[in-house]
Amino acid sequence: MQDNEPLMRALAKLVSVNNPDKIIFVGEALVGNEAVDQLTKFNQALKDFSGLQNPRHIDGMILTKFDTVDDKVGAALSMTYTTGQPILFVGTGQTYTDLKNMRVGHIIHSLLKE
């Protein structure tokens, strides 16, 4: 939906009108680099369509379906590198208790395993 301009305009307006404490991007870790594209376009829409002189950007990310990720874990690194913002939580199941803090060691291990 990141290419749906009316939706992106509506989301940017929602942010500028309501002025939330945090803007959290929620995406699926399973889609790999598609998540990077979604994040980049969402962040750009916040800038382009907010109507604010100093537009806001995302403050962090939640990645769902992280327990199913194997070699696509590099997309998570790309997301943090692209935005400079942290991955706050990763989803590893179906319930709220399945939201876990991001473990950097787990990412490094996944990247370095043969």
Side-chain angles (χ1 to χ4, degrees):
M1 300 302 285
Q2 72 270 18
D3 292 321
N4 184 332
E5 185 176 319
L7 177 62
M8 292 295 107
R9 284 183 182 277
L11 286 171
K13 182 177 181 182
L14 186 67
V15 168
S16 63
V17 168
N18 292 299
N19 194 26
D21 292 332
K22 299 279 184 201
I23 301 171
I24 308 297
F25 174 84
V26 179
E28 284 188 13
L30 191 59
V31 297
N33 284 329
E34 176 68 16
V36 178
D37 185 54
Q38 292 170 358
L39 174 61
T40 303
K41 289 181 177 177
F42 177 68
N43 228 9
Q44 189 63 42
L46 289 175
K47 178 181 173 189
D48 293 345
F49 304 132
S50 71
L52 300 173
Q53 195 165 4
N54 294 319
R56 296 193 42 203
H57 297 285
I58 69 154
D59 297 303
M61 297 163 269
I62 296 174
L63 296 180
T64 64
K65 301 182 181 175
F66 205 76
D67 53 326
T68 61
V69 173
D70 45 28
D71 60 339
K72 294 180 182 175
V73 74
L77 292 177
S78 294
M79 293 172 79
T80 58
Y81 179 78
T82 299
T83 62
Q85 299 301 324
I87 296 172
L88 303 170
F89 297 101
V90 292
T92 60
Q94 300 290 324
T95 66
Y96 290 122
T97 58
D98 295 321
L99 284 175
K100 309 292 184 193
N101 287 324
M102 177 65 150
R103 285 196 199 148
V104 175
H106 177 266
I107 300 298
I108 292 170
H109 180 268
S110 295
L111 288 172
L112 297 178
K113 72 179 180 179
E114 295 182 51

